[in-house]
């Protein structure tokens, strides 16, 4: 992207993972593979709408729906006419069923402090906080922004919103003030719920400080609620009279009872922003009845949940969709007991994760391949000195898991008794769509196997023709209850992004391969969205940030394959005349992106170059940059305006890259 002009590149199937993903299961593996009861699939195939209605009937409805599905492509309405409340389904009905003393969350803070929250306690806090929100003027239909660390107050705030019919927009605590401000403004949130700070690798991150900067540019925010977490450790917290309020003080003054609003099945439940191929993030819209139906169903079936005995741990952050669906809504709707952990795997030491599993007797572990590969790098000594025998099921999510990591995970963490479920889904899909079902699907390590009951996934070629065997684009051929209902404020972009590339199909943006037995192998994104440790970051967003820097003339960003993080961000930067490349300048640019978007978007490598490889029409050829970044032989260079440019870049990038 040039300073002040447009860049970009057309989509092409990228086979990042293709070579290493051709995995032939051994005879032994085949012999041991269980192919169990397929009746769930058969029922769903016979009548998929009826199948979803059956699943929805597992929830408490205040009023029954009139129609299961109204489908006016690409706009779906599920369970129209039905009324329900999400917090009622996640809390009240379990307490009413006598499960009030069941633990909802075993919470572990990064410094090692702990809290146990039962369903009864969670309900009490949610009712009180719902009254706090009402007291601040929040009414049904409003949006509330939430910018918090992984503390119990975060699910409390989300559930309180659902109780009174306000939609939440959770912004990941690692995002910068700019990113927070843009998301608040897009949603026009009236209230922001945050904390004084959050712990990150022993440091107190000043969330309220970030929030203060963001709120300077958010005319819609009337009140800021601040939970106490880090205290003075993160420096003093400034409270603006009349606007800012301490969580505990408001709670102390709020009433204990708050009835759950009867919401329409299609009322907005939440917005969650995800990167697109432009710099503007998309506010993905999820609604009430279909979403809760499908997250509860998938959480139950994919993890083979036994709610009365399982201790389930999803090690994601609630700032992402994984946490929304599989820390908060799915597990709570099913009355499950979860572990919730504030920290990262590598702090305070390499034993923390295994300590948690041992202490709480975790039975189901759900995490990302990037974490698994990190553990592989550290070696088996850490898991080996802990008793992990409580584990009975392992899950993976966020990016393709390579067969080696899959097998290591099962051999060294779960043991051979544990099925591994590799679960494919997206912020947009709301719930897991492709995954093995334990005891039912025979696995191949590295393959997410098949679409779940009720879901129809097909791989198609460029022309949109179904591919029976081989590579292509992953599409979905029918609507599903937890599908996104749109992009907030931009129905056209919704149609354009997801439903226009292949007629009548949802295009997921991922490449996939079908093997001779019909197994699906995910190949990664085919657009300009990178997948760094399971976080989606758009190349354009990082490029815009770079060209915002006064020294930068032009920048092109690619995701290069990385053994640990899946992809790593590599930036090719041309400086303005008069500016000189130096390691310090590289550092400065990395820090600039980090400040602007967040640390997750900081380029691993900055390569300075006098020119970027372009086609004669002026398009940056990212494919070639990716070849360079991944140290591959160059692909076709015939369309390049100046073929010498790439060789020069290759020389520069091997000579003196700025790297961590
Ligand atoms: C993208 C969605 C799903 C929650 C976390 C990410 C990639 C996700 C898998 C998997 C291969 C996967 C895809 C997808 N992805 N799960 N099991 N195998 N790739 O949510 O940020 O919306 O990203 O993550 O590329 O499109 P997200």
């Amino acid at each position: 992207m040039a300073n002040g002009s447009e860049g970009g590149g057309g989509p092409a199937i990228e086979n990042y993972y293709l070579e290493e993903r051709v995995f032939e299961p051994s005879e032994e593996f085949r012999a041991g593979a269980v192919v169990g009861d397929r009746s769930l699939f058969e029922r769903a195939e016979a009548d998929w709408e009826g199948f979803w209605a059956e699943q929805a009937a597992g929830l408490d409805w205040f009023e029954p729906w009139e129609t299961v599905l109204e489908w006016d492509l690409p706009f779906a309405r599920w369970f129209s006419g039905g009324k329900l409340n999400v917090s009622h389904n996640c809390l009240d009905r379990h307490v009413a069923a006598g499960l009030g003393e069941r633990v909802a969350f075993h919470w572990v803070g990064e410094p090692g402090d702990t809290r146990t929250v039962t369903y009864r306690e969670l309900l009490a806090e949610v009712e009180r906080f719902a009254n706090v929100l009402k007291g601040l003027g929040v009414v049904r239909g409003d949006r509330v922004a939430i910018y918090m660390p992984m503390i119990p107050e975060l699910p409390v705030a989300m559930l309180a919103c659902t109780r009174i019919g306000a939609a939440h927009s959770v912004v990941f605590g690692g995002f910068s003030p700019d990113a927070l401000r843009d998301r608040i403004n897009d949603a026009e949130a009236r209230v922001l719920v945050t904390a004084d700070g959050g712990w990150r690798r022993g440091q107190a991150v000043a969330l309220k400080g970030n929030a203060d900067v963001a709120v300077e540019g958010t005319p819609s925010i009337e009140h800021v609620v601040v939970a106490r977490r880090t205290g003075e450790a993160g420096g003093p917290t400034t409270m603006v009279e009349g606007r800012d309020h301490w969580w505990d003080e408001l709670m102390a003054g709020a009433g204990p009872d708050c009835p759950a609003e009867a919401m329409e099945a299609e009322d907005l439940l939440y917005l969650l922003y995800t990167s697109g191929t432009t710099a503007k993030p998309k506010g993905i819209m999820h609604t009430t009845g279909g979403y809760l139906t499908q997250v509860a169903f998938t959480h139950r079936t994919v993890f083979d949940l036994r709610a009365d005995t399982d201790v389930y741990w999803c090690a994601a952050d609630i700032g992402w969709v994984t946490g929304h669906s599989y820390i908060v809504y799915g597990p709570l709707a099913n009355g499950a007991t979860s572990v919730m952990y504030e920290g990262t795997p590598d702090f305070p030491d390499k034993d923390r994760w295994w300590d948690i599993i041992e202490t709480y007797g975790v039975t189901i572990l759900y995490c990302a391949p990037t974490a698994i590969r990190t553990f592989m790098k550290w070696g088996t000594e850490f898991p080996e000195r802990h008793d992990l025998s409580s584990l009975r099921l392992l899950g993976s999510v966020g990016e393709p898991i390579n067969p080696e990591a899959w097998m290591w995970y099962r051999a060294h963490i779960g043991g051979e008794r544990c099925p591994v479920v590799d679960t494919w889904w997206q912020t947009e899909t709301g719930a897991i769509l492709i995954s093995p079902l334990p005891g039912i699907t025979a696995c191949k390590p590295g393959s997410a196997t098949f679409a779940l009951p009720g879901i129809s996934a097909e791989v198609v070629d460029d022309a949109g023709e179904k591919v029976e065997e081989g590579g292509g684009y992953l599409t979905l051929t029918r609507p599903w209850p937890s599908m996104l209902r749109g992009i907030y404020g931009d129905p056209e972009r919704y149609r354009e992004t997801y439903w226009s590339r292949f007629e009548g199909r949802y295009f997921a943006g991922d490449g996939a391969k079908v093997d001779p037995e019909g197994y699906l192998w995910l190949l990664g994104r085919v657009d300009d969205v990178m997948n760094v440790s399971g976080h989606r970051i758009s190349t354009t967003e990082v490029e815009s940030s770079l060209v915002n820097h006064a020294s930068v003339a032009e920048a092109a960003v690619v995701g290069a394959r990385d053994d640990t993080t899946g992809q790593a961000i590599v930036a090719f930067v041309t400086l303005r005349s008069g500016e000189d490349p130096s390691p310090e300048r590289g550092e400065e640019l990395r820090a600039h992106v980090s400040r602007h978007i967040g640390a997750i978007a900081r380029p691993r490598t900055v390569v300075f170059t006098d020119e970027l490889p372009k086609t004669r029409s002026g398009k940056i050829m990212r494919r070639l940059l990716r070849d360079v970044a991944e140290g591959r032989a160059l692909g076709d260079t015939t369309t390049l305006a100046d073929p010498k440019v790439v060789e020069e870049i290759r020389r520069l990038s091997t000579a003196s890259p700025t790297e961590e």
Side-chain angles (χ1 to χ4, degrees):
M1 176 176 290
N3 214 323
S5 85
E6 270 294 290
I13 295 190
E14 295 293 344
N15 295 340
Y16 302 123
Y17 293 89
L18 197 54
E19 303 96 287
E20 76 183 57
R21 310 196 104 237
V22 181
F23 177 83
E24 279 306 315
S26 64
E27 283 308 314
E28 299 89 284
F29 187 84
R30 276 188 195 289
V34 207
V35 181
D37 181 2
R38 296 196 43 89
S39 59
L40 202 59
F41 285 94
E42 284 154 15
R43 255 195 359 256
E45 266 338 280
D47 171 14
W48 57 276
E49 290 187 35
F51 168 80
W52 286 123
E54 245 173 67
Q55 304 312 325
L59 300 175
D60 258 8
W61 293 79
F62 298 147
E63 273 179 45
W65 60 84
E66 282 151 21
T67 52
V68 174
L69 171 65
E70 291 161 23
W71 181 224
D72 178 13
L73 190 144
F75 299 102
R77 294 179 61 80
W78 284 89
F79 311 116
S80 199
K83 292 201 169 133
L84 77 167
N85 181 279
V86 167
S87 80
H88 167 90
N89 272 283
C90 290
L91 304 169
D92 306 55
R93 69 169 172 152
H94 303 315
V95 174
L99 302 177
E101 301 322 311
R102 182 179 284 177
V103 174
F105 291 113
H106 290 293
W107 176 81
V108 182
E110 191 195 81
D113 48 338
T114 61
R115 255 179 84 181
T116 303
V117 186
T118 64
Y119 274 88
R120 183 188 310 287
E121 289 163 343
L122 191 56
L123 173 59
E125 289 209 26
V126 166
E127 289 198 70
R128 238 179 234 283
F129 196 67
N131 284 330
V132 166
L133 291 175
K134 278 184 174 173
L136 296 175
V138 177
V139 297
R140 184 173 169 147
D142 282 345
R143 272 86 48 218
V144 172
I146 302 178
Y147 181 64
M148 295 183 96
M150 283 283 285
I151 55 177
E153 285 81 356
L154 169 52
V156 168
M158 295 163 76
L159 288 157
C161 288
T162 74
R163 196 161 190 89
I164 62 173
H168 55 70
S169 166
V170 177
V171 179
F172 174 54
F175 273 125
S176 66
D178 284 6
L180 174 61
R181 183 201 55 217
D182 292 349
R183 285 157 177 76
I184 290 174
N185 285 339
D186 189 75
E188 297 177 289
R190 294 183 64 183
V191 167
L192 169 64
V193 185
T194 185
D196 49 1
W199 290 109
R200 180 134 184 107
R201 300 205 169 92
Q203 300 288 315
V205 178
L207 290 176
K208 175 62 163 65
N210 285 350
D212 286 338
V213 175
V215 167
E216 277 170 29
T218 59
S220 61
I221 292 289
E222 295 162 23
H223 295 282
V224 179
V225 183
V226 189
R228 293 183 209 267
R229 175 61 186 140
T230 50
E232 291 296 299
T237 303
T238 340
M239 300 292 276
V240 173
E241 183 70 37
R243 185 196 73 183
D244 299 350
H245 317 270
W246 289 106
W247 172 290
D248 47 303
E249 289 172 9
L250 291 181
M251 287 290 263
D257 302 310
C258 176
E261 283 277 318
M263 303 303 293
E264 299 282 341
E266 281 297 340
D267 277 338
L268 186 64
L269 178 64
Y270 69 76
L271 297 175
L272 187 58
Y273 286 81
T274 183
S275 300
T277 49
T278 71
K280 186 173 162 21
K282 302 176 285 202
I284 301 300
M285 296 163 67
H286 282 293
T287 59
T288 305
Y291 175 82
L292 196 65
T293 296
Q294 200 166 343
V295 295
F297 165 74
T298 49
H299 183 253
R300 215 163 44 231
T301 51
V302 171
F303 300 108
D304 183 28
L305 184 74
R306 301 157 200 175
D308 50 344
T309 51
D310 271 324
V311 179
Y312 160 87
W313 181 18
C314 168
D317 191 290
I318 294 176
W320 308 111
V321 76
T322 312
H324 281 59
S325 297
Y326 298 109
I327 297 178
V328 182
Y329 295 118
L332 294 176
N334 289 331
T337 295
S338 297
V339 164
M340 176 176 168
Y341 179 49
E342 185 185 26
T344 49
D346 55 353
F347 195 90
D349 52 43
K350 299 183 168 82
D351 285 299
R352 176 54 73 82
W353 266 44
W354 319 119
D355 276 338
I356 292 176
I357 292 176
E358 191 170 5
T359 305
Y360 295 99
V362 170
T363 58
I364 305 171
L365 176 64
Y366 190 32
C367 67
T370 179
I372 300 163
R373 288 192 293 264
T374 302
F375 298 141
M376 275 174 83
K377 236 174 16 196
W378 292 346
T380 51
E381 72 170 287
F382 303 100
E384 264 165 14
R385 57 180 183 228
H386 297 269
D387 176 7
L388 306 181
S389 61
S390 55
L391 286 171
R392 64 172 192 81
L393 200 141
L394 304 173
S396 168
V397 61
E399 41 172 331
I401 179 166
N402 47 314
E404 294 73 17
W406 194 106
M407 290 194 280
W408 187 91
Y409 192 27
R410 194 166 81 136
H412 298 288
I413 305 304
E416 297 300 314
R417 69 185 176 282
C418 285
V420 176
V421 289
D422 173 8
T423 63
W424 179 90
W425 58 297
Q426 308 176 298
T427 305
E428 293 88 339
T429 70
I432 299 167
L433 298 194
I434 302 176
S435 166
L437 287 183
I440 298 178
T441 317
C443 286
K444 295 185 187 181
S447 164
T449 74
F450 302 101
L452 290 181
I455 302 300
S456 163
E458 286 181 0
V459 174
V460 299
D461 62 17
D462 265 307
E465 297 297 329
K466 184 174 175 191
V467 171
E468 300 289 348
E469 195 189 319
Y473 304 92
L474 181 66
T475 67
L476 301 163
T477 68
R478 47 165 112 108
W480 62 99
S482 65
M483 66 190 272
L484 77 164
R485 297 304 194 267
I487 294 172
Y488 194 64
D490 203 344
E492 219 13 74
R493 189 175 179 199
Y494 165 63
R495 184 194 296 276
E496 179 57 35
T497 310
Y498 303 104
W499 297 91
S500 68
R501 177 80 195 269
F502 302 107
E503 204 193 326
R505 294 171 185 268
Y506 171 89
F507 171 43
D510 283 6
K513 197 181 75 154
V514 193
D515 80 5
E517 286 159 319
Y519 281 69
L520 293 167
W521 298 76
L522 278 309
L523 303 175
R525 310 282 314 167
V526 300
D527 53 21
D528 289 330
V529 179
M530 300 171 287
N531 200 331
V532 182
S533 297
H535 305 313
R536 265 212 252 174
I537 300 157
S538 95
T539 54
T540 325
E541 213 174 341
V542 178
E543 286 170 3
S544 313
S545 168
L546 285 166
V547 297
N548 256 334
H549 192 276
S551 70
V552 175
E554 218 177 2
V557 165
V558 299
R561 206 166 118 178
D562 183 284
D563 284 344
T564 306
T565 58
Q567 282 186 292
I569 302 177
V570 178
F572 295 86
V573 172
T574 307
L575 294 175
R576 292 188 172 193
S577 60
E579 301 282 351
D580 289 322
S582 67
E584 294 72 35
R585 182 42 60 83
E587 269 317 307
E588 189 186 330
L589 293 178
R590 293 173 69 233
H592 170 80
V593 174
S594 179
R595 234 180 356 258
H596 194 196
I597 306 174
I600 44 166
R602 179 174 52 213
R604 182 196 64 186
T605 310
V606 175
V607 179
F608 292 107
T609 167
D610 286 339
E611 266 178 274
L612 290 167
K614 288 185 189 153
T615 61
R616 269 155 239 158
S617 63
K619 263 194 175 177
I620 295 172
M621 291 187 74
R622 274 157 224 287
R623 180 172 54 79
L624 296 179
L625 291 174
R626 214 173 281 128
D627 287 343
V628 171
E630 295 179 349
R632 258 195 313 270
L634 292 185
D636 187 7
T637 56
T638 45
T639 51
L640 266 182
D642 179 4
K644 285 197 303 294
V645 170
V646 203
E647 282 317 323
E648 179 60 13
I649 293 177
R650 190 197 284 292
R651 196 184 59 72
L652 287 167
S653 67
T654 43
S656 58
T658 307
E659 206 152 323
E660 224 159 21

